[in-house]
Amino acid sequence: MKKKRIAAAIAALSLAAVASWYLLPGAWLPALLAANRASAGLSEHSVAAAGHEVHYLAGGSGEPVVLLHGIFAEKDHWVDFARPLTGRWRVIAPDLPGFGESGRIASERYDYPAQVERLRHWLDALGLQRVHLAGNSMGGTIAVLFALQHPQRVASVALVGSPHGIRAPKASAMDRRIEAGDAPLVARTAQEFEDMLSLVFAQRPFLPYPVLHASTQDAIARADSNQRIWEAQLAHRWLLDAHVDALRAPTLVLWGEADQVFDVSGAEALRARLPSARVERMPGLGHLPMMEAPAASAAAYARFLDALPRGSGTH
């Protein structure tokens, strides 16, 4: 009889946990994020810089590697990618000002010139004089523009997923929607958020419900503000295309062959324009290879870093 009561109690607790997972997802979110970060050797920090309290994840030791997320993304999108790297490099992933926990100020601009300048202030606040920069999409573009403006501070540039602003020979699915007047990365409903995920992922990674729920709700709540940022960046739609030829830092390009955001033909355009760059097309992957195939993407990045002269980045 006692065993039956214990079994019943365990069943009730399990049912309550499952119910709270879906009814109270916010209660689970901090623990889920903390556990994932800790498993990658990362911890959360913040510093005042460029008029924002910039939140970031950091861990490991060695030459500093800074990971810059894309538009409407955030620092935790890099955690699985960072996991194999923190044993050999100091890995730092910020919520860029205007995104994630770093907050957004209605009177401020979050276009590329402003974000490049904010990146300088943030690196100064952390005392980082020379770093390896890696970025996805918007973050990749910021990395290149920063390297062009401050070449002495950038040991290498990695575009982990296609950067924003390259004229590809073939139009992407997102290009066609932009030409039709859509803003496909601005979600105003849960269905639009789901559609956006289908656009950016070719192989969607597992997202625990509390994480997915929080991301959906945040996107919907910020839709009007996101629209303003989208329009500001759209005004610089081909900014990278106009300047990328001047990049001299050692460069890695990882571009998903199934990318619907920026077509993979852009990888060949970059290969032609940056003949010294290492360009790798990643079969079956979409716009976010660091989330779709974090181990393979991190391994490719580690090979790139290993091939650089020792001590090319400083602490």
Side-chain angles (χ1 to χ4, degrees), residues 16-226:
V18 170
S20 69
W21 180 263
Y22 292 100
L23 296 176
L24 299 170
W28 289 87
L29 187 62
L32 287 171
L33 294 178
N36 199 41
R37 295 166 181 172
S39 72
L42 299 171
S43 56
E44 187 176 14
H45 309 269
S46 67
V47 65
H52 294 72
E53 188 70 18
V54 181
H55 291 249
Y56 63 96
L57 303 177
S61 61
E63 295 182 4
V65 169
V66 174
L67 308 176
L68 306 176
H69 61 73
I71 193 171
F72 312 138
E74 44 97 4
K75 59 187 180 297
D76 281 278
H77 291 178
W78 290 106
V79 171
D80 292 340
F81 177 89
R83 186 172 287 108
L85 303 177
T86 50
R88 300 178 56 199
W89 291 277
R90 182 185 177 195
V91 180
I92 309 165
D95 276 337
L96 291 166
F99 302 94
E101 293 183 281
S102 293
R104 187 176 298 175
I105 301 170
S107 60
E108 292 285 332
R109 293 185 62 83
Y110 295 95
D111 56 9
Y112 284 113
Q115 292 292 63
V116 170
E117 183 66 9
R118 290 188 184 105
L119 177 59
R120 181 180 69 83
H121 286 293
W122 177 71
L123 292 174
D124 288 345
L126 294 186
L128 296 172
Q129 294 305 310
R130 185 170 168 84
V131 301
H132 299 279
L133 283 180
N136 171 261
S137 197
M138 174 191 78
T141 304
I142 291 172
V144 173
L145 295 174
F146 186 87
L148 293 175
Q149 291 186 27
H150 307 283
Q152 74 283 0
R153 301 193 66 170
V154 180
S156 70
V157 171
L159 306 177
V160 184
S162 54
H164 174 231
I166 292 294
R167 291 182 185 271
K170 182 180 177 182
S172 68
M174 191 173 83
D175 286 330
R176 291 190 290 272
R177 290 184 60 181
I178 290 173
E179 295 303 326
D182 294 342
L185 300 186
V186 178
R188 297 182 179 277
T189 66
Q191 184 57 55
E192 288 182 356
F193 189 82
E194 177 68 20
D195 294 342
M196 183 268 292
L197 293 182
S198 296
L199 182 69
V200 300
F201 289 124
Q203 298 181 28
R204 189 182 301 193
F206 170 70
L207 298 174
Y209 177 76
V211 174
L212 180 61
H213 179 269
S215 299
T216 304
Q217 295 305 307
D218 182 67
I220 294 170
R222 288 188 168 196
D224 288 341
S225 181
N226 286 348

